[in-house]
Amino acid sequence: MKDIILQLALRSIRIHFLRSVLAALGIVIGVVAISSMGMMGANMTLSVTEELSKMANIVVITAASGSEGGPGGFGGGSDEKISEEDFQEIQKIAEKYGLVYVVYRESDRIKVGDREGRSTIYGLDEDVMRRIFTLSDGAFPKSTSSVIVGPTLAGRYDLKVGSRIRIGDEDKGATTTVKVVGILEERGMSNDINSDMAIIGSEKLFTGIYGNEGEYNQVNLILNDINDSQKARTEILEKMNRKKTRVNVQDSSRMLESITSTLGTMTTFVMAIAGISLLVAATSIFNVMMMSVTERVREIGIMRSIGAQKSEIRRMFLYESVVLGLVGAGIGAVLALGIGWVVVLAMVGSTDYFFLPESLVYIPFAMLVGIAVCILSGVYPAWRAADLDPVEALRAE
Amino acid sequence: MPGDSIIELCGVTKIYSLPAGDVVALDRVSLTIENGEFVAIMGPSGSGKTTLLNQLGCLDRPTSGDLFINGRNTREMNDRELTSLRLNTIGYIFQRFNLIPLLSAYENVEFPYLMKHRRPDSSGRVGELLAQVGIDRAMATHKPPELSGGQQQRVAIARALVNDPHILLCDEPTGNLDSVTGQQIMEMLTDLNRKGRTIVIVTHDPGVARYAQRIVTVRDGRVA
Ligand SMILES: Nc1ncnc2c1ncn2[C@@H]1O[C@H](COP(=O)(O)OP(=O)(O)O)[C@@H](O)[C@H]1O
Ligand SMILES: [Mg+2]
C-alpha cells in the first residue's frame, strides 16, 4: 500500500539531505560508542572469566578459628590446624568430587648466600606436586633435602637448579639447608597455594623442620567438575560442622562472581558515558525536527484544511525521526563491528570472544537505544506540528 | 429538494485576540445557505470574507454563536469529527492554490482520496478529474512549482472534488489568475453547481460575482 504520509516524510528528508545526514551522524556516533564500550566490557569479562575458571576448580578447607567465617583469604589462613582425623573425615566426604590433599605451610626466615629474607614454605605430597605444578626447569624433589621454588622467589634471589637455601633463624640455632632441584612456572594468584614466592618441599622435609605432623594448615580439593563447586562446599560444611563449627570452606566461584560483577559495573559506567554522545545526538535530531516543523507550517495548514487528521501530521514527523534513527543506527551498527573490533583488540588484547553472542548483543542493544532516542526527540516536534491551528498555519509565509 | 439549508450560521462572532487589542473579524453574522445554491460573498479587503469562509469550512471555531452543517451543530463536534467533515463533505479552493509542494500534481489530487479511503485510487478517478480540469498525464507528474498559476488552480479544483463533496468553498479562486483563465475556472464552477453542488465563492470582482445566484455583502465583519 502506498503510504503518502511516509512518502512525505521521506521526501522531506531527501530535500534536506545534508541536514538529515548530520542529524543521523549523531546517532551513528552514539551507537558506535555504546556498542564498542559494551563489547569491550563483555570481551574483558569473558577473557577474565576464562582466566579465572582455570582455578575455579579448587575448594580450600581451613580450620575454623573460633569466630565464624574467619580470615581465610588467598592461601592465607588461621593459625588453627586441621587434625588428621578431620582430614580423614573430609576425605571421605569429598573424594567423590576429586583429589583431596593436605597442605603444610609455614612462613620463615631464609638466607641465600648472604642475602636474608622471608618466604613461605609448603610441605606437599610428592604425587600431588606432580599433579598441580609445572616446572620450567629441573625436576621434582626426590629427597628430604631438595626443594622446588617459585619463579618470583628464584628471580629475587638468583636461584638456579643447584642453588642452596638456608631455612630457619640463625640466632635460634635451628637451621636447615636445602638444595633447589626445580624451578616452577608462574602460576599467578590462586586461593590454594601461592607458589610463585614460595619454597615447596616434601611433607617429610616440612615436618622434619617444623614438627606438627598430622596438623595441617589446609586441605585442598581439586574438583573433577567445576560445576560441583557449590555442592561440594555445602556438603563439606554440613557434615563437618553439624555439631560444632570445625572448618571453613572457600570455593572460587564467589571470587569469580565478585570480579565479574565489578567488571559489569565498570562496563555499565563506561557505556553510560558513551550514552552522553546519544544525548548530543538527541539534541541535534530535536533541532532538525523543529526546523522541519517550522519550515513546513504552511504545508501542515494545507494538509489539515483538506482533511488530514492531527494523528496523520504527527505520524509524518515521527516517520521522519524514525527514518533518521533507523539509518543512523544501521550505519552505526556496521561501523561498530569494525571500530568495536579495534577497541576490543586494543583494550582487551584478544578478539577471541568478539563474535560470541554475549559480545555482539551490544550492537542491537545500542541500535535500539539509538532509535528510541530518535523517536523520543521527535515526539515533541510532532506534537507541536499536529497542534498547530490550521487557519494560523495557512497564513504562514 | 429545494429549501433545505445545508449551512446555517446563527449569530457567529469571531474575535482575534492580538497584543494590540481584540479584532472583531465577524460580528454576530447570521446566514443561511440552501442546498445547491451558488452564493458569492463580496466586500472590501479586510472586511472578514476569509474569516467567514473559514467558519463555513469548519477550519476555525466561532468565538460565539452556532454553525450548523447539514443540521448538525459543529459546536458539539470534536477536532476529529470536524476534520473528517472537511475531508468528506467540504471541498476548499484557495486564492493561493495551496498545493503540497513535495507532491506531484497527481499525488496532490490523490492525497484527500488516500486520507479518506486508505488505499490508492484504482478506479482512475484521480486521472479523470485531472483530465476534466485540463491537466494531462505528463503534466500530472510535475510538482506544483513547475506549473503555472492557472494549472495549479486547476489541480486544486480537482483535489477539492476528489472526495465528491457537497459543499465547495472558494476563496478568491481567480484572484491570482489572468482574466481568460479566471473565466474558464468560473465556467467550471458553474458547471459543478449545475450538477448539484453547493458553492460559496469569496470575491471582490463583480464580474466573478455575476456567476452566482445570490450575493452576500460583508462590511466590517457584518453581513449587510
Ligand atoms: N489569524 C488572524 N489573526 C489576527 N487577525 C486576523 C486573522 N485573520 C484575519 N484577521 C483580521 O480580521 C480581519 C478580517 O480579515 P479577513 O477575513 O482576512 O478579511 P478579507 O478576507 O475580507 O480580506 C482583518 O482585520 C484581519 O487583519
Ligand atoms: Mg481574504
Side-chain angles (χ1 to χ4, degrees):
Chain A
M1 129 117 220
K2 175 176 178 176
D3 186 349
I4 196 118
I5 298 290
L6 177 61
Q7 288 295 317
L8 278 167
L10 292 176
R11 286 179 201 183
S12 164
I13 291 175
R14 210 182 312 144
I15 282 188
H16 304 291
F17 188 72
L18 186 64
R19 182 175 88 188
S20 307
V21 162
L22 288 176
L25 191 65
I27 294 296
V28 172
I29 294 170
V31 167
V32 168
I34 290 193
S35 47
S36 320
M37 290 306 118
M39 288 191 290
M40 183 191 84
N43 279 269
M44 210 171 255
T45 308
L46 285 167
S47 95
V48 168
T49 309
E50 154 107 6
E51 199 86 333
L52 291 176
S53 323
K54 284 179 195 153
M55 54 177 263
N57 61 340
I58 296 160
V59 177
V60 176
I61 302 131
T62 50
S65 56
S67 61
E68 189 97 17
F74 287 111
S78 58
D79 293 336
E80 304 286 322
K81 304 278 168 51
I82 293 180
S83 66
E84 177 66 25
E85 297 84 64
D86 283 354
F87 165 62
Q88 296 295 344
E89 252 186 275
I90 293 169
Q91 183 157 35
K92 239 180 251 155
I93 300 162
E95 68 190 347
K96 62 173 171 291
Y97 294 114
L99 173 72
V100 187
Y101 65 92
V102 294
V103 177
Y104 286 107
R105 186 185 60 238
E106 193 62 66
S107 171
D108 206 345
R109 297 176 69 92
I110 58 165
K111 190 169 179 185
V112 179
D114 47 8
R115 292 171 63 195
E116 290 186 62
R118 287 195 83 84
S119 169
T120 305
I121 294 113
Y122 285 105
L124 288 176
D125 182 81
E126 280 95 338
D127 289 334
V128 171
M129 274 188 229
R130 277 172 222 282
R131 278 198 54 176
I132 63 176
F133 295 132
T134 323
L135 294 176
S136 65
D137 194 14
F140 284 101
K142 288 201 177 67
S143 73
T144 54
S145 64
S146 52
V147 295
I148 45 180
V149 295
T152 316
L153 190 78
R156 189 168 300 172
Y157 291 94
D158 280 330
L159 295 170
K160 310 224 160 28
V161 172
S163 304
R164 279 166 204 285
I165 307 172
R166 203 167 66 195
I167 301 173
D169 200 332
E170 236 174 325
D171 302 339
K172 290 177 188 160
T175 61
T176 315
T177 303
V178 294
K179 198 174 114 189
V180 176
V181 295
I183 313 279
L184 290 169
E185 260 184 10
E186 190 170 326
R187 209 158 161 265
M189 276 287 246
S190 173
N191 62 347
D192 57 344
I193 289 170
N194 283 321
S195 58
D196 290 356
M197 264 298 287
I199 298 167
I200 296 129
S202 66
E203 289 176 300
K204 259 211 190 96
L205 173 125
F206 188 95
T207 51
I209 303 173
Y210 301 108
N212 292 338
E213 192 176 341
E215 292 174 34
Y216 311 115
N217 294 77
Q218 71 189 59
V219 174
N220 288 351
L221 162 61
I222 300 178
L223 297 167
N224 296 332
D225 181 355
I226 290 177
N227 300 320
D228 282 342
S229 169
Q230 285 289 343
K231 211 167 111 199
R233 176 171 186 272
T234 315
E235 189 177 341
I236 296 167
L237 278 176
E238 250 171 32
K239 294 194 172 155
M240 294 299 294
N241 294 350
R242 191 167 293 152
K243 292 199 193 88
K244 160 174 176 290
T245 306
R246 286 189 287 173
V247 296
N248 291 324
V249 180
Q250 270 200 314
D251 63 304
S252 335
S253 60
R254 296 176 158 219
M255 187 178 68
L256 205 72
E257 255 166 48
S258 99
I259 291 179
T260 322
S261 112
T262 308
L263 277 176
T265 313
M266 207 183 75
T267 308
T268 312
F269 177 70
V270 178
M271 273 169 68
I273 291 176
I276 292 174
S277 66
L278 269 185
L279 220 64
V280 178
T283 321
S284 87
I285 295 267
F286 181 83
N287 196 22
V288 161
M289 294 312 298
M290 286 311 273
M291 275 161 78
S292 185
V293 171
T294 312
E295 270 167 18
R296 292 162 79 190
V297 164
R298 199 174 152 72
E299 198 179 321
I300 294 162
I302 298 169
M303 290 169 69
R304 292 283 283 134
S305 67
I306 61 174
Q309 295 285 357
K310 283 185 177 186
S311 58
E312 275 144 351
I313 306 293
R314 259 197 304 271
R315 201 149 57 87
M316 180 169 75
F317 285 95
L318 281 179
Y319 275 158
E320 195 170 329
S321 56
V322 167
V323 168
L324 291 181
L326 280 175
V327 171
I331 297 173
V334 174
L335 290 184
L337 270 179
I339 294 174
W341 201 84
V342 172
V343 168
V344 167
L345 189 64
M347 301 296 292
V348 185
S350 131
T351 50
D352 293 355
Y353 311 99
F354 187 78
F355 291 102
L356 290 185
E358 293 97 311
S359 154
L360 287 185
V361 73
Y362 283 95
I363 292 181
F365 170 76
M367 285 174 79
L368 280 182
V369 173
I371 293 167
V373 162
C374 273
I375 295 175
L376 284 179
S377 338
V379 165
Y380 177 73
W383 174 82
R384 270 278 296 264
D387 256 29
L388 283 174
D389 176 39
V391 174
E392 292 293 330
L394 273 176
R395 279 163 63 96
E397 201 25 76
Chain B
M1 56 179 188
D4 56 337
S5 63
I6 190 162
I7 302 172
E8 200 175 341
L9 273 89
C10 301
V12 166
T13 297
K14 177 68 195 179
I15 299 172
Y16 290 111
S17 296
L18 297 176
D22 288 356
V23 177
V24 183
L26 289 179
D27 189 6
R28 285 161 293 166
V29 171
S30 294
L31 177 68
T32 305
I33 293 167
E34 308 295 331
N35 199 358
E37 254 195 307
F38 191 152
V39 177
I41 297 174
M42 293 196 72
S45 174
S47 57
K49 304 183 296 292
T50 297
T51 308
L52 178 57
L53 204 67
N54 286 345
Q55 293 293 332
L56 303 183
C58 302
L59 270 178
D60 210 354
R61 288 174 182 277
T63 308
S64 66
D66 293 294
L67 164 67
F68 297 87
I69 304 277
N70 273 331
R72 268 198 82 185
N73 193 340
T74 55
R75 191 170 287 287
E76 287 153 11
M77 297 163 83
N78 61 22
D79 182 80
R80 216 183 158 72
E81 291 169 306
L82 289 178
T83 304
S84 59
L85 199 66
R86 292 200 294 271
L87 181 65
N88 300 307
T89 312
I90 298 166
Y92 220 114
I93 299 166
F94 305 86
Q95 179 175 1
R96 289 159 72 191
F97 323 133
N98 281 349
L99 297 174
I100 299 171
L102 290 176
L103 300 179
S104 70
Y106 184 93
E107 287 168 326
N108 262 288
V109 178
E110 196 188 20
F111 186 87
Y113 187 95
L114 287 169
M115 291 291 112
K116 180 175 179 175
H117 298 94
R118 317 239 143 236
R119 58 178 167 75
D121 165 40
S122 53
S123 63
R125 176 170 176 77
V126 173
E128 231 168 73
L129 276 170
L130 279 165
Q132 274 174 34
V133 296
I135 303 288
D136 62 33
R137 263 169 200 284
M139 216 181 287
T141 62
H142 288 273
K143 298 258 165 74
E146 299 154 10
L147 299 174
S148 73
Q151 287 167 334
Q152 286 190 56
Q153 197 59 303
R154 287 160 198 274
V155 175
I157 291 172
R159 178 179 69 182
L161 295 175
V162 76
N163 284 337
D164 210 2
H166 288 107
I167 306 164
L168 211 51
L169 304 176
C170 321
D171 193 354
E172 307 199 34
T174 60
N176 282 344
L177 304 176
D178 62 81
S179 58
V180 178
T181 317
Q183 219 168 321
Q184 286 172 357
I185 298 283
M186 285 319 295
E187 262 145 34
M188 227 180 264
L189 291 177
T190 310
D191 192 44
L192 287 165
N193 174 246
R194 255 186 238 120
K195 288 175 183 156
R197 284 198 181 79
T198 307
I199 296 184
V200 180
I201 180 169
V202 165
T203 184
H204 52 246
D205 179 351
V208 167
R210 254 203 348 254
Y211 290 87
Q213 298 155 0
R214 175 155 70 111
I215 294 175
V216 174
T217 310
V218 181
R219 196 155 276 135
D220 292 335
R222 288 168 187 260
V223 170

